[in-house]
Structure formats: structure tokens, C-alpha cells
Amino acid sequence: MTDQRDNIYASPLAELASFRFDQQVVNVFPDMIKRSVPGYTTIISMIGDLAERYARADSRCYDLGCSLGAATLAMRHRIRAANCRLIAVDNSKAMIERARQVMAADSAEVPVELVCSDLQQVAIEQASVVVLNFTLQFIDPAQRDQIVSKIYQGLVPGGVLILSEKVAFKDQPHHDLMIELHHNFKRTNGYSDMEIAQKRTALENVLIPEPLEHHRQRLKNAGFTSVDVWFQCFNFASLIAIKA
């Protein structure tokens, strides 16, 4: 189980397929995400902190769109509540298979159930913590309201949703600036302009960002009364929404 350096887009590709979470991406995912998402390591660490604070005894904590289980592991190592169960969901079979290896090599005792499924098909029940860590952005915008509402209904009072997303900005000059700062971040981490351009093309119509205002309104429409950003770097942000 050796993680490789991300060079998927390092050579010119005659035909750019849409981005997919396949075996090729699984093999380089830890490197890809750390070199592509500013603040990712901090977000993962703080998800563990938040889970320690909000996880309730005899409840469930969900990592929806878990990929290789980084957020799952962060929660697993910090949760102290008795009889708390972790459920990690991803619709990529390759991701779930590697996540099983990751969890098997981990020594923490909180039980983890790994589920290969579209998150829309997974029931959210007796949840104290739900994590959508850069997941909602890959789902059809027409389905996002329903997903967030389902999560709200499945949370216990006092439960939290942690929502991390790449975001857009309504002010075009600011939007363009945040994109350029993000590209500079990737260049600093060793990506070439060709890699940046090819990946951006591959993600078109696959990753669809929304403004923070849209996320806040969706969360409030679902019933969350306390909603705000707890982390942001450039066009990447994480919100926490608390169910009263």
C-alpha cells in the first residue's frame, strides 16, 4: 500500500476524459489532495477535534464521500463517546477497497463500517456528526438540497454537519483572484501549468462549486439555525452547521 506521486496530468493528453475517482486516482490520492487543496491537513485534524466535541454516546458519525478515509481516521482517533459507530461511505469501489486496507492497518478501537454506495442511498440515522468533506461539489446541484435536508433529519439535537467545499464568488474580479491564488499554490507544490490546465478541463462539469451564500441558505432552509464558516483559504472553505 504505497502512495505514489500525482503525475496523472504531467504529460500532454490527446483526449481528456472527465475526472473519475478510479484506481489511477486512488494510487496518488493522498499526494494529489495535499498538493491541490490548501488547508486540507488542517481541516482533517480539526474534523477530529469537532468529532471529539460533538460525538454522543450511542450515536453514529458519518463520513459521506470518505475517499480513503482521512476524515474517518481523524474522527476514529478522537471520539471518546461510548458505543459510537463510524459509517464511511463512498461510491468508488477502488476508494473503498483501499480504505479497508487503511482501516485494517489502524489500531483505534472505534468500529468503522465501510459502505460502497451513492450517499443518496444511505440512511442517516441517530447521527451526532456528519462530514461532507469536499463531496457535495461532485453531486448534481439539483440533488444537493435533498441531501442536506436528509442529513438534518437524521441528526440528533445538538448534532453537527461539517461541510467542506471548493467555492465560487459572485464578484468576478475576486473570483478570478482566488482561482489565480489557488493555481499559484499548486505551482508552489510542483504542478506545472500544463498539469493545472489539463486537470481543470477534466473537472469541468464534474466539480461544480457554489458561492458560500448558497451553502449557508441551503443549510438554513434545511433547518440548521447555527451556520457559519470555521475555515477558509482562497476558494476552499469549511462550514459547521449545528442542529438545535
Side-chain angles (χ1 to χ4, degrees):
M1 190 170 64
T2 302
D3 297 322
Q4 303 170 14
R5 186 169 176 83
D6 174 23
N7 60 4
I8 292 174
Y9 299 102
S11 301
L13 301 173
E15 185 176 345
L16 273 168
S18 294
F19 186 88
R20 295 174 60 244
F21 290 98
D22 55 15
Q23 188 64 55
Q24 184 183 33
V25 169
V26 167
N27 292 340
V28 303
F29 189 74
D31 182 66
M32 173 187 284
I33 197 86
K34 288 176 184 177
R35 292 167 63 206
S36 300
V37 179
Y40 181 77
T41 301
T42 298
I43 290 171
I44 291 298
S45 177
M46 293 303 103
I47 285 172
D49 284 358
L50 291 167
E52 182 178 21
R53 179 184 179 91
Y54 286 102
R56 302 281 188 86
D58 304 309
S59 73
R60 300 176 181 183
C61 296
Y62 291 81
D63 183 5
L64 303 177
C66 66
S67 60
L68 302 186
T72 303
L73 280 179
M75 290 192 284
R76 193 182 196 193
H77 281 263
R78 297 299 296 273
I79 289 172
R80 300 290 180 264
N83 300 318
C84 193
R85 192 166 120 222
L86 273 163
I87 301 170
V89 181
D90 205 285
N91 65 359
S92 166
K93 184 179 179 181
M95 283 287 185
I96 286 292
E97 288 178 352
R98 178 66 68 85
R100 290 191 195 283
Q101 297 175 40
V102 171
M103 296 304 151
D106 180 63
S107 60
E109 296 181 357
V110 177
V112 177
E113 178 184 353
L114 288 156
V115 180
C116 187
S117 173
D118 288 337
L119 64 88
Q120 296 93 320
Q121 306 303 316
V122 175
I124 308 298
E125 299 172 328
Q126 197 61 24
S128 56
V129 179
V130 177
V131 173
L132 280 170
N133 203 39
F134 303 107
T135 298
L136 201 63
Q137 61 198 23
F138 290 103
I139 293 174
D140 183 347
Q143 299 180 32
R144 296 177 186 180
D145 288 1
Q146 182 179 2
I147 289 168
V148 170
S149 292
K150 182 177 80 168
I151 290 170
Y152 177 83
Q153 295 300 325
L155 280 165
V156 299
V160 297
L161 167 60
I162 303 162
L163 172 66
S164 308
E165 289 278 286
K166 185 177 183 180
V167 296
F169 299 89
K170 293 181 178 179
D171 179 77
Q172 193 61 47
H174 189 73
H175 181 81
D176 294 342
L177 173 62
M178 292 300 105
I179 289 175
E180 182 55 33
L181 288 171
H182 178 220
H183 288 176
N184 284 340
F185 171 85
K186 296 179 80 170
R187 291 185 192 101
T188 300
N189 284 325
Y191 285 115
S192 68
D193 287 341
M194 181 178 65
E195 287 176 285
I196 293 168
Q198 289 194 138
K199 187 175 182 183
R200 187 176 184 182
T201 299
L203 283 168
E204 285 181 3
N205 302 316
V206 176
L207 190 166
I208 303 173
E210 297 177 294
L212 280 168
E213 294 89 338
H214 289 194
H215 290 296
R216 285 193 182 97
Q217 193 59 54
R218 177 180 293 119
L219 291 162
K220 289 180 178 179
N221 289 346
F224 291 100
T225 52
S226 177
V227 175
D228 219 327
V229 174
W230 68 271
F231 178 90
Q232 184 174 351
C233 185
F234 306 145
N235 48 350
F236 291 82
S238 189
L239 301 93
I240 183 167
I242 305 172
K243 182 174 181 177

